[in-house]
Amino acid sequence: MDGKTLRDAIISGANNMSNHREKVDELNVFPVPDGDTGANMSATMSSALSELSLTGDDADVGVVAEKVAAAMLRGARGNSGVILSLLFRGLAKGLAEKPSATPVEFCDSLGKGVRAAYKSVMKPTEGTILTVAREAYAAASFCADEGGDWVAVFNTLVEEAKKSLERTPELLPVLKKAGVVDSGGMGYLCIIEGMKSVIDGNGIIPVKSKTEQDSVVVDTVVFDESEIEFTYCTEFLVRKKPDSVDVSALRAYLESLGDSVVVVDDDEIIKVHVHTENPGKALEEALFFGELINVKIENMREQHRNASAKAESKRNPSKNKLSPKSPEEKYGFVSVVSGAGLEELFKDLGVDCIVRGGQTSNPSTDDIVEAILATPAHNVFVLPNNKNIILAAEQANKFIKDRNVVVLQSRTVPQGISAILSFNPEIDVRENSVAMTLALDKVSTGTVTFAVRDSDFEEKKIKQNDILALENGKLTYVEKDVTKALLKITKKMLKGDSTYVTVMYGVDVPDSAAEEAFNYVRSKISNDVEMVLVNGGQPVYYYIVSVE
């Protein structure tokens, strides 16, 4: 195998991963908005494409492998992306300084990647991408050792990956119960299938054409935010009472609250759409006509700001780059967080640089490196605040030479807050690391979100759009009402020695609704517990609850 063949094979693998990104996302078992494995693996693979586009046909195989591995490590997103980058890092180490590679050398390099990937995970779980990569490598290596040519080796690699993927539900009961295979393993199979196309002589698999949604962003931000007269786009259905009165009265009331009013009266259902500053009043009035179902409230100003920022980022990516700063202070902090309110909170606590990201939006290793270099400190503490970002943060250390980086294992926003509150500028790095790590276990995290799909998870029957309450990442309650879920998860987390509760509400919760829910929960909890409400502005989660 020469460099051109490896280059084309990796491009084909990246394209095939991109083509199947949504399919891989949909395999995520957990019913919360967490389906980002395909997106993370696709982004990680795609990070190498710009490097490959500059690589000539005469490049050595070792040079190609090294360029790919370096780009992927910097662009790695999420745990699956980091593991994928380590698999290719092993390939680079095994093929270093080689002008070309034999099947045996290639398979030996795959083995180096598998071993590196296993070492990167504190407690490797079988039935994941690790298993699929390991078993596929072992079979392909045996084939190469027996004299198999390139076509035979890649046939074996792909076929064994398929078999291994089919076995993942037997190794992970949660997969078997959900009736799916592992998403990371599926992503890995897509990549090596794409590579196999080049080895078989069928050429590079092309990227499928972009959907219309890819071009909508610019169109949605051509107007000024001041043109939005009413903030909340409110939609819901009303299951009518048997003796329901003429809905024209509802329509007239809604028109007094806002604009873009649509009220469709069916035999059993009333469908309502309105732009208003008071969605709570619209819902309250609708209750006179029947039972509310399928309520959706969206902040159009926030949508506009997000779309504008995204469009500006595409037009001028350099504008968002953080400038590197020389280390001058003793200590500095980098935190990963999403939501205007939470960003301000962490800045107020002393964080120097914010990396925007979190659930469903994992930043790359390069994003974290950029933030570390923009922090003017000799010792930089990094708070990932999400379990799927920790590995990417840990990889950032490999690119930092002029300062000491300490990645704390914060898996939630409340843990990150607890850690930074335990920081003491008068003690040394090691003492601070210990103190902040101990602080992670002193806080419990509750989250209230919604189900993205029907599921049978942990003996709970879940329907799409059900309200889910989780305690420290474990699904605890399935409800129909957000406020009820908030109350139940808060009370569940309270212990005899709990003294402080912080409720952070998300971008999809209007201020008035959050205050009403907070006051309701406050009324149900002992006065010995101090409670505070914070506008976090976070996506995905209606509420994040911190109990200390």
Side-chain angles (χ1 to χ4, degrees):
M1 177 187 284
D2 57 17
K4 178 182 182 301
T5 303
L6 180 60
R7 179 197 68 189
D8 291 351
I10 293 174
I11 292 172
S12 184
N15 290 351
N16 201 45
M17 180 67 248
S18 177
N19 292 342
H20 293 87
R21 181 182 61 191
E22 291 185 5
K23 179 180 179 182
V24 174
D25 279 343
E26 290 171 358
L27 288 175
N28 281 267
V29 175
F30 210 44
V32 302
D34 188 31
D36 51 9
T37 301
N40 284 341
M41 296 184 75
S42 180
T44 302
M45 287 295 297
S46 296
S47 64
L49 293 181
S50 59
E51 286 288 340
L52 292 176
S53 67
L54 301 174
T55 304
D57 291 352
D58 57 348
D60 290 348
V61 71
V63 172
V64 172
E66 175 56 33
K67 286 187 174 183
V68 168
M72 287 180 62
L73 190 58
R74 295 186 74 97
R77 295 177 185 269
N79 292 347
S80 55
V82 172
I83 290 172
L84 184 61
S85 72
L86 291 171
L87 293 173
F88 277 86
R89 168 54 62 188
L91 191 68
K93 287 184 177 180
L95 300 180
E97 300 183 0
K98 295 184 184 294
S100 59
T102 66
V104 171
E105 290 170 335
F106 179 83
C107 288
D108 287 346
S109 301
L110 287 181
K112 290 181 184 294
V114 168
R115 289 187 287 275
Y118 266 87
K119 287 180 181 178
S120 72
V121 181
M122 187 175 297
K123 294 181 180 180
T125 301
E126 297 299 340
T128 65
I129 182 177
L130 293 172
T131 305
V132 175
R134 174 176 56 80
E135 293 184 342
Y137 142 71
S141 182
F142 181 80
C143 176
D145 289 341
E146 292 296 306
D149 61 12
W150 281 107
V151 172
V153 166
F154 263 84
N155 280 339
T156 303
L157 184 70
V158 169
E159 288 306 312
E160 185 58 35
K162 288 180 180 177
K163 294 176 183 177
S164 179
L165 184 64
E166 291 172 357
R167 291 192 292 265
T168 55
E170 301 303 321
L171 298 173
L172 273 180
V174 67
L175 296 176
K176 187 172 185 178
K177 191 167 185 179
V180 297
V181 295
D182 178 66
S183 56
M186 172 63 84
Y188 181 74
L189 174 61
C190 291
I191 292 165
I192 60 175
E193 282 182 327
M195 296 177 69
K196 180 177 179 291
S197 176
V198 171
I199 301 301
D200 288 345
N202 296 322
I204 297 173
I205 293 175
V207 177
K208 293 179 181 177
S209 60
K210 293 183 178 180
T211 64
E212 293 181 357
Q213 289 181 337
D214 293 326
S215 61
V216 166
V217 174
V218 176
D219 294 337
T220 61
V221 297
V222 294
F223 58 89
D224 188 87
E225 185 179 337
S226 62
E227 296 178 29
I228 303 175
E229 184 176 357
F230 298 100
T231 305
Y232 301 104
C233 175
T234 306
E235 295 181 291
F236 54 88
L237 300 179
V238 180
R239 184 177 290 116
K240 292 167 63 175
K241 295 178 180 178
D243 56 346
S244 182
V245 297
D246 184 2
V247 299
S248 60
L250 175 60
R251 183 181 292 108
Y253 180 79
L254 294 176
E255 287 176 347
S256 71
L257 288 181
D259 62 12
S260 299
V261 176
V262 177
V263 178
V264 180
D265 184 13
D266 200 356
D267 290 337
E268 298 179 354
I269 296 291
I270 305 169
K271 180 175 178 59
V272 175
H273 173 280
V274 59
H275 294 173
T276 179
E277 288 296 301
N278 298 288
K281 289 184 177 180
L283 298 175
E284 186 176 356
E285 181 69 17
L287 287 172
F288 288 108
F289 295 83
E291 179 182 350
L292 295 177
I293 53 178
N294 293 1
V295 177
K296 183 175 74 171
I297 302 172
E298 294 181 333
N299 185 321
M300 293 187 292
R301 296 184 190 276
E302 183 67 17
Q303 288 178 324
H304 176 269
R305 288 191 288 267
N306 291 340
S308 297
K310 188 173 181 180
E312 176 61 24
S313 176
K314 285 189 174 183
R315 286 192 295 268
N316 188 10
S318 62
K319 183 178 179 181
N320 301 296
K321 282 284 185 181
L322 296 171
S323 300
K325 296 179 181 177
S326 299
E328 298 175 356
E329 304 294 330
K330 183 177 181 180
Y331 292 118
F333 281 90
V334 169
S335 178
V336 182
V337 70
S338 182
L342 293 182
E343 288 180 26
E344 287 302 315
L345 175 59
F346 274 89
K347 287 178 181 177
D348 290 344
L349 291 173
V351 168
D352 299 88
C353 285
I354 297 290
V355 180
R356 287 176 177 159
Q359 194 77 352
T360 76
S361 180
N362 301 153
S364 68
T365 296
D366 205 27
D367 294 331
I368 299 171
V369 169
E370 183 183 311
I372 293 170
L373 292 176
T375 302
H378 292 283
N379 301 286
V380 181
F381 293 100
V382 180
L383 299 165
N385 301 333
N386 186 289
K387 65 179 182 180
N388 206 34
I389 298 174
I390 293 174
L391 272 181
E394 290 175 338
Q395 300 307 307
N397 226 332
K398 299 178 180 179
F399 300 99
I400 306 297
K401 306 299 182 185
D402 64 341
R403 60 203 79 190
N404 177 44
V405 179
V406 180
V407 178
L408 299 169
Q409 305 289 302
S410 58
R411 300 162 67 90
T412 68
V413 167
Q415 282 192 337
I417 294 171
S418 180
I420 200 169
L421 287 173
S422 300
F423 170 72
N424 182 351
E426 303 301 323
I427 61 179
D428 64 25
V429 176
R430 184 181 178 280
E431 290 174 309
N432 264 312
S433 298
V434 171
M436 288 189 285
T437 299
L438 290 174
L440 301 180
D441 294 328
K442 294 179 180 179
V443 60
S444 292
T445 301
T447 50
V448 178
T449 185
F450 59 94
V452 295
R453 65 178 68 87
D454 291 351
S455 177
D456 183 2
F457 190 83
E458 294 184 352
E459 300 183 357
K460 293 179 174 64
K461 294 287 186 181
I462 299 169
K463 294 295 183 182
Q464 184 175 358
N465 294 324
D466 276 353
I467 304 303
L468 308 179
L470 300 89
E471 179 181 11
N472 296 321
K474 181 178 175 60
L475 181 61
T476 307
Y477 299 112
V478 179
E479 296 292 340
K480 300 295 183 183
D481 180 76
V482 174
T483 301
K484 186 175 181 180
L486 174 63
L487 174 63
K488 292 182 75 171
I489 198 63
T490 303
K491 293 181 73 172
K492 172 76 165 50
M493 291 194 299
L494 285 169
K495 304 294 187 290
D497 57 351
S498 299
T499 59
Y500 200 82
V501 174
T502 304
V503 178
M504 295 161 267
Y505 64 96
V507 67
D508 294 322
V509 182
D511 294 345
S512 58
E515 291 171 4
E516 184 178 345
F518 176 79
N519 291 332
Y520 176 72
V521 174
R522 166 75 277 182
S523 70
K524 301 293 184 181
I525 290 177
S526 169
N527 290 329
D528 294 334
V529 178
E530 185 177 352
M531 290 186 65
V532 63
L533 179 66
V534 174
N535 182 351
Q538 71 273 3
V540 180
Y541 299 114
Y542 297 121
Y543 294 99
I544 299 174
V545 184
S546 170
V547 176
E548 301 174 67

